[in-house]
């Protein structure tokens, strides 16, 4: 028997109210998980907070600039400015393993897997932070604030970061983050990226929610204004400031060569820089930009393009100083060692779709609305000598952070809601 008209309207009204309340709760939670953008550089750490004070039992290592020099000591104090969509998750795994192996002290975020990004980094965001606390490694996503980071590590800490061709980075970021950038919802065509690049000013709102993901993301992550006028002298000043602050800027396109330079700088062993590609998208989810779209994407991200050109040139100067033949030998050795580990560790020998991953501990975090990130199945039979290393090399970022004792209650709650709603 159909409901009377009045009761039907009452039922609909209750549904609308409950839906509105639930939506409000989700927006509130997401706004906590992804805090609003802070445009100022003002520190949120109380004034007068004591800088890092290394323990007397931990003297500074006098490491030569070139790790090949005799008698160098492995560097253990490292700041990795983790940029987005640049193979940074793979490098993060390398740092996690090194720090865990040597019992080093990480500066980790509290509640989530980043330092309240896109807000600027502050020391007070570090889990269990106390004034004067000193850490060996900082490596989670942040919006860089040099003075705040500098105050957490010893004076001899090594600063590194990684860049990527800005057009390719923009493409990756658009597909990974586009669903959480509201102004892209106006795009209606099948190829939203191409539609956006035909007339980006029509859609882009510099003050829009999460807008930073879709223009000059490298500049933004490094702590600068990503909407700066390209003609401003500040652009070159910022680039030179990055050069002064960072001991090595790696390039995603030349990842193996970058790791060889990093190993040399830090005086590490080959085993320390072995890796498997983490957080990579499946091939069908990686459309390649055409010549014209590539040009448009580069022009749209012109600040990042200038930054990348500068450090691409300095990178190859470092390679020349290292020695081309020596670089070729060391890259070959790294690839050979990685291939050996692939045969030892990975079931089937290659990455698989999320739906084919058997162990939830190996399931990588997926972008909203799609499961395009690949992962791995660990072989069921691995010798005792390699079992621990294999598992650590294949463990995704979120699970590795939990293994290291990081409090991720916000991230875990957000995952539960996403799983429940099948987002």
């Amino acid at each position: 028997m159909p409901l009377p008209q009045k009761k039907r309207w009452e039922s609909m009204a209750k549904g609308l109210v409950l839906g509105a309340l639930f939506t409000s709760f989700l927006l509130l939670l997401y706004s906590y998980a992804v805090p609003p953008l802070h445009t100022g550089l003002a520190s949120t750490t109380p004034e007068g907070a004591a800088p890092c004070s290394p323990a007397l039992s931990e003297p500074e290592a006098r490491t030569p600039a070139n790790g090949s020099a005799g008698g160098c000591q492995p560097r253990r104090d490292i700041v990795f400015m983790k940029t987005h969509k640049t193979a940074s998750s793979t490098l993060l795994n390398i740092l996690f393993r090194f720090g865990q192996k040597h019992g080093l002290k990480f500066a980790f975020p509290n509640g989530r897997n980043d330092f309240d990004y896109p807000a600027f980094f502050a020391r007070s965001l570090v889990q269990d932070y106390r004034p004067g606390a000193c850490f060996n490694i900082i490596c989670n996503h942040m919006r860089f604030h040099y003075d705040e980071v500098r105050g957490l590590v010893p004076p001899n800490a090594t600063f590194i970061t990684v860049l990527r061709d800005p057009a390719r980075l923009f493409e990756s970021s658009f597909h990974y983050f586009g669903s959480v950038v509201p102004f892209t919802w106006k795009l209606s065509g099948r190829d939203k990226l191409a539609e956006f690049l035909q007339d980006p000013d029509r859609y882009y709102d510099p003050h829009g929610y999460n807008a930073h993901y879709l223009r000059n993301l490298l500049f933004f992550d490094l702590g600068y204004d990503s909407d700066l006028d390209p003609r401003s002298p500040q652009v070159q000043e910022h680039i030179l400031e990055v050069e002064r602050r960072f001991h090595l800027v790696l390039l995603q396109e030349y990842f193996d060569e970058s790791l060889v330079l990093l190993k040399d700088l830090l005086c590490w062993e080959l085993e320390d820089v072995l890796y498997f590609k983490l957080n990579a998208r499946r091939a069908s989810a990686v459309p390649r930009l055409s010549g014209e779209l590539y040009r448009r994407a580069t022009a749209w991200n012109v600040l990042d393009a200038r930054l990348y050109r500068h450090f691409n040139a300095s990178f190859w100067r470092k390679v020349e100083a290292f020695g081309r033949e020596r670089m070729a030998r060391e890259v070959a050795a790294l690839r050979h060692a990685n291939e050996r580990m692939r045969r030892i560790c990975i079931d089937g020998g290659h990455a698989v779709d999320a739906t084919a991953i058997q162990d939830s501990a190996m399931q990588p975090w997926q972008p909203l609305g799609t499961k395009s990130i690949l992962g791995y199945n660990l072989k069921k039979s691995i010798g005792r000598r390699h079992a621990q290393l294999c598992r650590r090399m294949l463990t995704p970022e979120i699970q590795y952070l939990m293994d290291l004792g990081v409090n991720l209650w916000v991230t875990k709650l957000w995952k539960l809601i996403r799983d429940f709603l099948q987002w």
Side-chain angles (χ1 to χ4, degrees):
M1 183 176 181
L3 286 171
Q5 188 75 9
K6 181 179 178 183
K7 288 191 175 181
R8 188 160 59 243
W9 280 108
E10 286 177 353
S11 178
M12 289 175 63
K14 288 178 181 178
L16 287 172
V17 170
L18 288 173
L21 288 172
F22 184 62
T23 302
S24 299
F25 168 74
L26 290 181
L27 289 173
L28 181 64
L29 177 64
Y30 188 74
S31 68
Y32 186 84
V34 183
L37 172 64
H38 295 180
T39 55
L41 257 176
S43 166
T44 57
T45 299
E47 275 191 58
C52 162
S53 303
L56 294 176
S57 59
E58 300 175 2
E60 293 182 24
R62 291 184 174 82
T63 310
N66 188 332
S68 63
C72 73
Q73 296 295 316
R75 293 193 182 190
R76 299 186 175 190
D77 301 313
I78 301 159
V79 173
F80 171 42
M81 175 51 228
K82 187 178 190 292
T83 47
H84 285 83
K85 315 312 297 176
T86 58
S88 60
S89 293
T90 302
L91 191 50
L92 192 72
N93 182 273
I94 290 172
L95 293 171
F96 284 168
R97 287 176 3 232
F98 184 85
Q100 192 174 24
K101 177 181 176 181
H102 295 282
L104 303 182
K105 187 177 181 182
F106 288 92
F108 281 132
N110 189 20
R112 24 189 290 179
N113 60 307
D114 62 53
F115 290 105
D116 278 15
Y117 184 89
F120 281 103
F121 176 80
R123 278 172 274 183
S124 57
L125 297 171
V126 174
Q127 182 174 294
D128 301 324
Y129 171 74
R130 297 290 182 274
C134 202
F135 298 86
N136 300 113
I137 298 177
I138 307 174
C139 54
N140 290 79
H141 273 309
M142 68 172 78
R143 191 173 185 201
F144 193 56
H145 187 325
Y146 179 75
D147 292 336
E148 287 291 291
V149 172
R150 177 78 272 175
L152 283 174
V153 291
N156 67 326
T158 301
F159 281 64
I160 62 172
T161 191
V162 56
L163 306 182
R164 182 183 183 184
D165 178 303
R168 303 297 180 202
L169 185 149
F170 170 78
E171 177 189 31
S172 181
S173 185
F174 188 95
H175 288 290
Y176 193 92
F177 297 112
S179 61
V180 295
V181 184
F183 62 69
T184 67
W185 301 347
K186 295 181 279 185
L187 299 164
S188 56
R190 288 187 62 186
D191 189 344
K192 293 186 177 184
L193 175 66
E195 184 181 348
F196 179 85
L197 286 175
Q198 289 302 320
D199 188 8
D201 287 313
R202 175 184 173 188
Y203 302 102
Y204 180 73
D205 176 5
H207 305 295
Y209 190 69
N210 283 337
H212 61 279
Y213 284 121
L214 298 188
R215 193 174 198 187
N216 296 311
L217 183 54
L218 294 172
F219 232 65
F220 183 88
D221 283 355
L222 287 164
Y224 302 117
D225 180 0
S226 54
D227 288 304
L228 195 62
D229 186 335
R231 296 165 296 183
S232 169
Q234 283 186 291
V235 176
Q236 185 63 16
E237 290 170 11
H238 292 333
I239 292 171
L240 294 178
E241 187 172 65
V242 173
E243 187 168 55
R244 288 193 302 271
R245 288 174 171 175
F246 288 84
H247 298 83
L248 179 64
V249 176
L250 296 79
L251 300 181
Q252 186 262 0
E253 293 79 6
Y254 303 99
F255 197 66
D256 290 345
E257 291 85 351
S258 294
L259 289 181
V260 168
L261 291 179
L262 181 66
K263 179 174 77 73
D264 185 65
L265 174 68
L266 299 177
C267 198
W268 284 8
E269 300 296 330
L270 178 62
E271 182 180 291
D272 296 326
V273 295
L274 298 180
Y275 72 93
F276 299 127
K277 289 182 181 179
L278 300 178
N279 211 36
R281 288 183 293 162
R282 64 173 179 266
S284 61
V286 190
R288 304 300 292 172
L289 290 173
S290 68
E292 176 59 19
L293 287 180
Y294 178 89
R295 184 193 66 76
R296 288 176 179 270
T298 302
W300 177 244
N301 295 277
V302 63
L303 304 184
D304 279 2
R306 287 181 59 180
L307 178 78
Y308 184 82
R309 282 196 297 270
H310 180 94
F311 285 102
N312 185 291
S314 67
F315 179 86
W316 292 108
R317 287 195 296 270
K318 290 179 185 293
V319 170
E320 290 291 343
F322 184 83
R324 291 271 184 172
E325 290 184 7
R326 181 182 168 207
M327 175 61 74
R329 288 195 304 271
E330 297 218 14
V331 165
L334 173 60
R335 290 174 179 170
H336 177 77
N338 280 335
E339 174 62 20
R340 178 172 173 268
M341 293 305 298
R342 182 189 66 79
R343 293 194 301 269
I344 293 171
C345 301
I346 300 175
D347 188 26
H350 56 81
V352 297
D353 280 334
T355 53
I357 299 171
Q358 299 160 11
D359 184 352
S360 61
M362 295 292 154
Q363 185 71 245
W365 184 268
Q366 299 291 339
L368 204 63
T370 183
K371 289 193 173 182
S372 58
I373 302 300
L374 302 175
Y376 299 92
N377 285 313
L378 191 67
K379 274 190 175 179
K380 293 179 175 60
S381 178
I382 303 174
R384 291 180 60 187
R385 180 183 172 192
H386 295 103
Q388 185 183 74
L389 177 58
C390 285
R391 177 164 285 279
R392 288 178 178 178
M393 288 181 71
L394 294 173
T395 299
E397 175 183 340
I398 301 297
Q399 291 90 323
Y400 212 140
L401 285 167
M402 289 190 287
D403 288 346
L404 293 170
V406 183
N407 174 14
L408 294 178
W409 73 269
V410 175
T411 301
K412 288 191 280 189
L413 179 58
W414 182 239
K415 184 180 185 304
L416 283 173
I417 292 172
R418 285 185 57 183
D419 290 345
F420 177 74
L421 297 175
Q422 297 183 337
W423 283 353

